[in-house]
Short mmCIF file of all heavy atoms in Angstrom, two decimals:
data_model
loop_
_atom_site.label_atom_id
_atom_site.label_comp_id
_atom_site.label_asym_id
_atom_site.label_seq_id
_atom_site.Cartn_x
_atom_site.Cartn_y
_atom_site.Cartn_z
N GLU C 827 -24.10 -15.15 -31.34
CA GLU C 827 -24.01 -15.40 -29.90
C GLU C 827 -22.59 -15.77 -29.50
O GLU C 827 -22.08 -15.31 -28.47
CB GLU C 827 -24.99 -16.50 -29.51
CG GLU C 827 -26.45 -16.09 -29.61
CD GLU C 827 -27.39 -17.23 -29.31
OE1 GLU C 827 -26.90 -18.36 -29.11
OE2 GLU C 827 -28.62 -17.01 -29.27
N GLN C 828 -21.95 -16.62 -30.32
CA GLN C 828 -20.57 -17.00 -30.03
C GLN C 828 -19.63 -15.81 -30.12
O GLN C 828 -18.72 -15.66 -29.30
CB GLN C 828 -20.13 -18.10 -31.00
CG GLN C 828 -20.82 -19.43 -30.78
CD GLN C 828 -20.48 -20.45 -31.85
OE1 GLN C 828 -19.82 -20.14 -32.85
NE2 GLN C 828 -20.93 -21.69 -31.65
N SER C 829 -19.86 -14.95 -31.13
CA SER C 829 -19.03 -13.74 -31.27
C SER C 829 -19.22 -12.80 -30.08
O SER C 829 -18.26 -12.21 -29.58
CB SER C 829 -19.39 -13.01 -32.58
OG SER C 829 -19.11 -13.81 -33.70
N ASN C 830 -20.48 -12.67 -29.64
CA ASN C 830 -20.76 -11.82 -28.48
C ASN C 830 -20.10 -12.37 -27.21
O ASN C 830 -19.55 -11.61 -26.41
CB ASN C 830 -22.26 -11.70 -28.26
CG ASN C 830 -22.93 -10.82 -29.29
OD1 ASN C 830 -22.29 -9.96 -29.89
ND2 ASN C 830 -24.22 -11.03 -29.53
N GLU C 831 -20.16 -13.69 -27.06
CA GLU C 831 -19.52 -14.31 -25.90
C GLU C 831 -18.02 -14.10 -25.94
O GLU C 831 -17.39 -13.79 -24.92
CB GLU C 831 -19.84 -15.80 -25.86
CG GLU C 831 -21.30 -16.11 -25.53
CD GLU C 831 -21.59 -17.60 -25.58
OE1 GLU C 831 -20.66 -18.38 -25.90
OE2 GLU C 831 -22.74 -17.99 -25.31
N LYS C 832 -17.43 -14.25 -27.12
CA LYS C 832 -15.98 -14.03 -27.27
C LYS C 832 -15.62 -12.58 -26.96
O LYS C 832 -14.63 -12.30 -26.27
CB LYS C 832 -15.54 -14.38 -28.68
CG LYS C 832 -14.04 -14.22 -28.91
CD LYS C 832 -13.66 -14.60 -30.33
CE LYS C 832 -12.16 -14.41 -30.56
NZ LYS C 832 -11.78 -14.74 -31.96
N LEU C 833 -16.45 -11.66 -27.48
CA LEU C 833 -16.20 -10.24 -27.23
C LEU C 833 -16.31 -9.92 -25.75
O LEU C 833 -15.47 -9.17 -25.20
CB LEU C 833 -17.20 -9.40 -28.02
CG LEU C 833 -17.11 -7.88 -27.83
CD1 LEU C 833 -15.74 -7.38 -28.25
CD2 LEU C 833 -18.21 -7.18 -28.62
N GLN C 834 -17.30 -10.49 -25.07
CA GLN C 834 -17.46 -10.27 -23.64
C GLN C 834 -16.27 -10.79 -22.86
O GLN C 834 -15.81 -10.16 -21.90
CB GLN C 834 -18.76 -10.92 -23.15
CG GLN C 834 -20.03 -10.24 -23.64
CD GLN C 834 -20.11 -8.78 -23.22
OE1 GLN C 834 -19.75 -8.42 -22.10
NE2 GLN C 834 -20.60 -7.94 -24.13
N ARG C 835 -15.77 -11.97 -23.28
CA ARG C 835 -14.59 -12.53 -22.60
C ARG C 835 -13.38 -11.63 -22.81
O ARG C 835 -12.61 -11.39 -21.87
CB ARG C 835 -14.29 -13.93 -23.13
CG ARG C 835 -15.28 -15.00 -22.66
CD ARG C 835 -14.71 -16.39 -22.90
NE ARG C 835 -14.45 -16.63 -24.31
CZ ARG C 835 -15.31 -17.15 -25.16
NH1 ARG C 835 -16.53 -17.48 -24.75
NH2 ARG C 835 -14.98 -17.35 -26.44
N GLU C 836 -13.21 -11.12 -24.03
CA GLU C 836 -12.08 -10.25 -24.32
C GLU C 836 -12.18 -8.94 -23.54
O GLU C 836 -11.18 -8.43 -23.03
CB GLU C 836 -12.01 -9.97 -25.82
CG GLU C 836 -11.60 -11.19 -26.64
CD GLU C 836 -11.59 -10.89 -28.13
OE1 GLU C 836 -12.11 -9.81 -28.52
OE2 GLU C 836 -11.07 -11.72 -28.88
N LEU C 837 -13.40 -8.40 -23.47
CA LEU C 837 -13.60 -7.16 -22.70
C LEU C 837 -13.34 -7.39 -21.23
O LEU C 837 -12.75 -6.54 -20.54
CB LEU C 837 -15.03 -6.63 -22.91
CG LEU C 837 -15.34 -6.08 -24.30
CD1 LEU C 837 -16.82 -5.71 -24.39
CD2 LEU C 837 -14.48 -4.87 -24.61
N SER C 838 -13.77 -8.55 -20.73
CA SER C 838 -13.54 -8.88 -19.33
C SER C 838 -12.05 -9.02 -19.05
O SER C 838 -11.54 -8.51 -18.03
CB SER C 838 -14.26 -10.18 -18.98
OG SER C 838 -14.02 -10.53 -17.64
N LEU C 839 -11.34 -9.71 -19.96
CA LEU C 839 -9.89 -9.85 -19.81
C LEU C 839 -9.20 -8.50 -19.88
O LEU C 839 -8.25 -8.23 -19.14
CB LEU C 839 -9.33 -10.78 -20.89
CG LEU C 839 -9.63 -12.26 -20.74
CD1 LEU C 839 -9.15 -13.03 -21.95
CD2 LEU C 839 -8.98 -12.81 -19.48
N ARG C 840 -9.69 -7.63 -20.77
CA ARG C 840 -9.11 -6.30 -20.91
C ARG C 840 -9.29 -5.50 -19.62
O ARG C 840 -8.37 -4.83 -19.15
CB ARG C 840 -9.75 -5.57 -22.08
CG ARG C 840 -9.21 -4.16 -22.29
CD ARG C 840 -9.86 -3.52 -23.52
NE ARG C 840 -9.38 -2.16 -23.70
CZ ARG C 840 -9.89 -1.09 -23.11
NH1 ARG C 840 -10.91 -1.24 -22.27
NH2 ARG C 840 -9.40 0.11 -23.34
N ASP C 841 -10.50 -5.57 -19.05
CA ASP C 841 -10.77 -4.86 -17.80
C ASP C 841 -9.88 -5.39 -16.68
O ASP C 841 -9.36 -4.62 -15.86
CB ASP C 841 -12.24 -5.00 -17.41
CG ASP C 841 -13.16 -4.22 -18.35
OD1 ASP C 841 -12.65 -3.33 -19.05
OD2 ASP C 841 -14.36 -4.53 -18.39
N GLU C 842 -9.73 -6.73 -16.65
CA GLU C 842 -8.88 -7.33 -15.62
C GLU C 842 -7.43 -6.89 -15.79
O GLU C 842 -6.73 -6.61 -14.82
CB GLU C 842 -8.98 -8.85 -15.69
CG GLU C 842 -10.32 -9.41 -15.22
CD GLU C 842 -10.38 -10.91 -15.34
OE1 GLU C 842 -9.34 -11.52 -15.65
OE2 GLU C 842 -11.46 -11.49 -15.12
N TYR C 843 -6.98 -6.83 -17.03
CA TYR C 843 -5.61 -6.41 -17.30
C TYR C 843 -5.39 -4.97 -16.87
O TYR C 843 -4.38 -4.64 -16.23
CB TYR C 843 -5.30 -6.55 -18.79
CG TYR C 843 -4.11 -5.73 -19.22
CD1 TYR C 843 -2.83 -6.05 -18.79
CD2 TYR C 843 -4.28 -4.60 -20.03
CE1 TYR C 843 -1.74 -5.28 -19.16
CE2 TYR C 843 -3.20 -3.83 -20.40
CZ TYR C 843 -1.93 -4.17 -19.96
OH TYR C 843 -0.86 -3.40 -20.32
N ILE C 844 -6.35 -4.08 -17.23
CA ILE C 844 -6.22 -2.67 -16.87
C ILE C 844 -6.17 -2.52 -15.34
O ILE C 844 -5.35 -1.78 -14.81
CB ILE C 844 -7.39 -1.86 -17.45
CG1 ILE C 844 -7.27 -1.81 -18.98
CG2 ILE C 844 -7.40 -0.44 -16.88
CD1 ILE C 844 -8.45 -1.14 -19.66
N GLN C 845 -7.05 -3.24 -14.66
CA GLN C 845 -7.07 -3.17 -13.20
C GLN C 845 -5.78 -3.72 -12.61
O GLN C 845 -5.21 -3.14 -11.67
CB GLN C 845 -8.27 -3.95 -12.65
CG GLN C 845 -8.41 -3.86 -11.14
CD GLN C 845 -9.64 -4.58 -10.63
OE1 GLN C 845 -10.43 -5.11 -11.40
NE2 GLN C 845 -9.81 -4.62 -9.32
N MET C 846 -5.29 -4.84 -13.17
CA MET C 846 -4.06 -5.43 -12.67
C MET C 846 -2.88 -4.48 -12.90
O MET C 846 -2.03 -4.30 -12.02
CB MET C 846 -3.81 -6.76 -13.37
CG MET C 846 -2.60 -7.52 -12.84
SD MET C 846 -2.89 -8.18 -11.18
CE MET C 846 -4.08 -9.47 -11.56
N ARG C 847 -2.84 -3.85 -14.06
CA ARG C 847 -1.75 -2.92 -14.36
C ARG C 847 -1.77 -1.75 -13.40
O ARG C 847 -0.72 -1.30 -12.92
CB ARG C 847 -1.88 -2.42 -15.80
CG ARG C 847 -0.69 -1.56 -16.24
CD ARG C 847 -0.87 -1.08 -17.67
NE ARG C 847 0.30 -0.34 -18.10
CZ ARG C 847 0.53 0.93 -17.82
NH1 ARG C 847 -0.35 1.59 -17.08
NH2 ARG C 847 1.62 1.55 -18.25
N GLU C 848 -2.97 -1.23 -13.11
CA GLU C 848 -3.09 -0.12 -12.16
C GLU C 848 -2.60 -0.52 -10.77
O GLU C 848 -1.99 0.28 -10.06
CB GLU C 848 -4.54 0.35 -12.11
CG GLU C 848 -4.99 1.07 -13.38
CD GLU C 848 -6.45 1.46 -13.34
OE1 GLU C 848 -7.15 1.02 -12.39
OE2 GLU C 848 -6.90 2.20 -14.23
N GLU C 849 -2.91 -1.75 -10.39
CA GLU C 849 -2.47 -2.24 -9.08
C GLU C 849 -0.94 -2.29 -9.00
O GLU C 849 -0.34 -1.84 -8.02
CB GLU C 849 -3.04 -3.64 -8.81
CG GLU C 849 -4.52 -3.66 -8.52
CD GLU C 849 -4.86 -3.07 -7.16
OE1 GLU C 849 -3.96 -2.92 -6.32
OE2 GLU C 849 -6.04 -2.73 -6.93
N PHE C 850 -0.30 -2.81 -10.04
CA PHE C 850 1.16 -2.92 -10.03
C PHE C 850 1.82 -1.55 -10.17
O PHE C 850 2.90 -1.32 -9.62
CB PHE C 850 1.64 -3.86 -11.13
CG PHE C 850 1.61 -5.30 -10.73
CD1 PHE C 850 0.55 -6.11 -11.09
CD2 PHE C 850 2.62 -5.85 -9.94
CE1 PHE C 850 0.50 -7.44 -10.70
CE2 PHE C 850 2.58 -7.17 -9.54
CZ PHE C 850 1.53 -7.98 -9.93
N LEU C 851 1.16 -0.65 -10.89
CA LEU C 851 1.70 0.71 -10.99
C LEU C 851 1.65 1.39 -9.62
O LEU C 851 2.60 2.11 -9.25
CB LEU C 851 0.89 1.51 -12.01
CG LEU C 851 1.41 2.92 -12.33
CD1 LEU C 851 2.83 2.84 -12.88
CD2 LEU C 851 0.49 3.59 -13.35
N LYS C 852 0.58 1.16 -8.87
CA LYS C 852 0.47 1.73 -7.51
C LYS C 852 1.53 1.12 -6.60
O LYS C 852 2.16 1.83 -5.79
CB LYS C 852 -0.93 1.44 -6.95
CG LYS C 852 -1.15 1.97 -5.53
CD LYS C 852 -1.06 3.48 -5.47
CE LYS C 852 -1.53 4.06 -4.14
NZ LYS C 852 -0.74 3.60 -2.99
N ILE C 853 1.76 -0.18 -6.72
CA ILE C 853 2.80 -0.84 -5.93
C ILE C 853 4.16 -0.23 -6.25
O ILE C 853 4.95 0.10 -5.35
CB ILE C 853 2.80 -2.35 -6.20
CG1 ILE C 853 1.53 -2.99 -5.64
CG2 ILE C 853 4.04 -3.02 -5.59
CD1 ILE C 853 1.32 -4.42 -6.08
N TYR C 854 4.43 -0.05 -7.54
CA TYR C 854 5.70 0.53 -7.97
C TYR C 854 5.85 1.95 -7.43
O TYR C 854 6.92 2.33 -6.94
CB TYR C 854 5.76 0.53 -9.50
CG TYR C 854 7.05 1.07 -10.07
CD1 TYR C 854 8.20 0.28 -10.13
CD2 TYR C 854 7.12 2.37 -10.56
CE1 TYR C 854 9.38 0.78 -10.66
CE2 TYR C 854 8.29 2.88 -11.08
CZ TYR C 854 9.41 2.08 -11.14
OH TYR C 854 10.59 2.58 -11.65
N ASP C 855 4.79 2.74 -7.52
CA ASP C 855 4.84 4.13 -7.03
C ASP C 855 5.10 4.19 -5.53
O ASP C 855 5.83 5.07 -5.05
CB ASP C 855 3.53 4.85 -7.36
CG ASP C 855 3.39 5.15 -8.84
OD1 ASP C 855 4.41 5.11 -9.55
OD2 ASP C 855 2.25 5.43 -9.29
N ASP C 856 4.51 3.26 -4.78
CA ASP C 856 4.72 3.25 -3.32
C ASP C 856 6.18 2.96 -2.98
O ASP C 856 6.75 3.56 -2.06
CB ASP C 856 3.81 2.21 -2.66
CG ASP C 856 2.36 2.66 -2.63
OD1 ASP C 856 2.11 3.86 -2.78
OD2 ASP C 856 1.47 1.80 -2.45
N PHE C 857 6.78 2.04 -3.71
CA PHE C 857 8.19 1.74 -3.48
C PHE C 857 9.07 2.92 -3.90
O PHE C 857 10.07 3.22 -3.25
CB PHE C 857 8.60 0.47 -4.24
CG PHE C 857 8.36 -0.79 -3.48
CD1 PHE C 857 7.14 -1.44 -3.57
CD2 PHE C 857 9.33 -1.34 -2.65
CE1 PHE C 857 6.89 -2.61 -2.87
CE2 PHE C 857 9.10 -2.50 -1.94
CZ PHE C 857 7.88 -3.15 -2.05
N CYS C 858 8.68 3.58 -5.00
CA CYS C 858 9.46 4.73 -5.45
C CYS C 858 9.36 5.90 -4.46
O CYS C 858 10.32 6.66 -4.30
CB CYS C 858 8.99 5.17 -6.83
SG CYS C 858 9.48 4.04 -8.16
N LEU C 859 8.21 6.04 -3.82
CA LEU C 859 8.07 7.07 -2.79
C LEU C 859 9.07 6.81 -1.67
O LEU C 859 9.76 7.73 -1.19
CB LEU C 859 6.65 7.06 -2.23
CG LEU C 859 6.42 7.88 -0.95
CD1 LEU C 859 6.65 9.36 -1.23
CD2 LEU C 859 5.01 7.64 -0.41
N PHE C 860 9.16 5.57 -1.24
CA PHE C 860 10.12 5.20 -0.20
C PHE C 860 11.55 5.49 -0.67
O PHE C 860 12.38 6.00 0.10
CB PHE C 860 9.97 3.72 0.16
CG PHE C 860 10.96 3.24 1.17
CD1 PHE C 860 10.77 3.49 2.53
CD2 PHE C 860 12.09 2.55 0.78
CE1 PHE C 860 11.70 3.06 3.47
CE2 PHE C 860 13.01 2.11 1.72
CZ PHE C 860 12.82 2.36 3.07
N GLN C 861 11.81 5.17 -1.94
CA GLN C 861 13.15 5.42 -2.49
C GLN C 861 13.51 6.89 -2.43
O GLN C 861 14.64 7.27 -2.11
CB GLN C 861 13.21 4.90 -3.93
CG GLN C 861 14.58 5.09 -4.60
CD GLN C 861 14.55 4.74 -6.06
OE1 GLN C 861 13.48 4.76 -6.70
NE2 GLN C 861 15.69 4.42 -6.62
N ARG C 862 12.54 7.75 -2.76
CA ARG C 862 12.80 9.20 -2.73
C ARG C 862 13.07 9.69 -1.31
O ARG C 862 13.94 10.54 -1.08
CB ARG C 862 11.61 9.96 -3.33
CG ARG C 862 11.47 9.80 -4.82
CD ARG C 862 10.51 10.83 -5.40
NE ARG C 862 9.16 10.67 -4.87
CZ ARG C 862 8.24 9.89 -5.42
NH1 ARG C 862 8.54 9.16 -6.48
NH2 ARG C 862 7.03 9.81 -4.91
N VAL C 863 12.32 9.16 -0.35
CA VAL C 863 12.48 9.60 1.05
C VAL C 863 13.86 9.24 1.57
O VAL C 863 14.52 10.06 2.21
CB VAL C 863 11.38 8.97 1.94
CG1 VAL C 863 11.67 9.24 3.41
CG2 VAL C 863 10.02 9.54 1.57
N ILE C 864 14.31 8.03 1.30
CA ILE C 864 15.63 7.64 1.79
C ILE C 864 16.73 8.25 0.93
O ILE C 864 17.85 8.50 1.42
CB ILE C 864 15.79 6.11 1.86
CG1 ILE C 864 15.71 5.48 0.46
CG2 ILE C 864 14.75 5.50 2.79
CD1 ILE C 864 16.04 3.99 0.45
N GLY C 865 16.42 8.49 -0.35
CA GLY C 865 17.41 9.12 -1.23
C GLY C 865 17.75 10.52 -0.75
O GLY C 865 18.89 10.98 -0.86
N TYR C 866 16.75 11.22 -0.22
CA TYR C 866 16.95 12.56 0.33
C TYR C 866 17.96 12.55 1.48
O TYR C 866 18.73 13.50 1.65
CB TYR C 866 15.61 13.11 0.81
CG TYR C 866 15.72 14.34 1.67
CD1 TYR C 866 15.96 15.59 1.10
CD2 TYR C 866 15.58 14.27 3.06
CE1 TYR C 866 16.06 16.73 1.89
CE2 TYR C 866 15.68 15.39 3.85
CZ TYR C 866 15.92 16.61 3.27
OH TYR C 866 16.02 17.73 4.06
N ALA C 867 17.98 11.47 2.24
CA ALA C 867 18.85 11.39 3.42
C ALA C 867 20.17 10.68 3.14
O ALA C 867 20.99 10.53 4.06
CB ALA C 867 18.12 10.67 4.55
N SER C 868 20.37 10.25 1.89
CA SER C 868 21.60 9.53 1.57
C SER C 868 22.83 10.40 1.86
O SER C 868 22.97 11.50 1.33
CB SER C 868 21.59 9.14 0.09
OG SER C 868 22.79 8.47 -0.25
N MET C 869 23.70 9.91 2.73
CA MET C 869 24.91 10.61 3.17
C MET C 869 24.59 11.95 3.83
O MET C 869 25.46 12.82 3.96
CB MET C 869 25.87 10.84 1.98
CG MET C 869 26.20 9.59 1.19
SD MET C 869 26.90 8.26 2.24
CE MET C 869 28.44 9.01 2.74
#
Side-chain angles (χ1 to χ4, degrees):
E827 291 176 356
Q828 291 174 352
S829 297
N830 287 336
E831 290 177 359
K832 182 179 179 182
L833 178 60
Q834 291 301 320
R835 288 195 300 269
E836 290 178 348
L837 290 175
S838 179
L839 287 174
R840 179 177 178 275
D841 290 341
E842 289 179 7
Y843 161 68
I844 292 174
Q845 183 177 357
M846 185 70 71
R847 186 181 184 278
E848 290 176 351
E849 288 289 343
F850 276 98
L851 186 59
K852 179 63 169 61
I853 292 169
Y854 182 80
D855 288 343
D856 286 342
F857 273 89
C858 287
L859 169 64
F860 177 80
Q861 181 187 23
R862 289 194 297 271
V863 171
I864 64 173
Y866 167 78
S868 179
M869 307 304 294

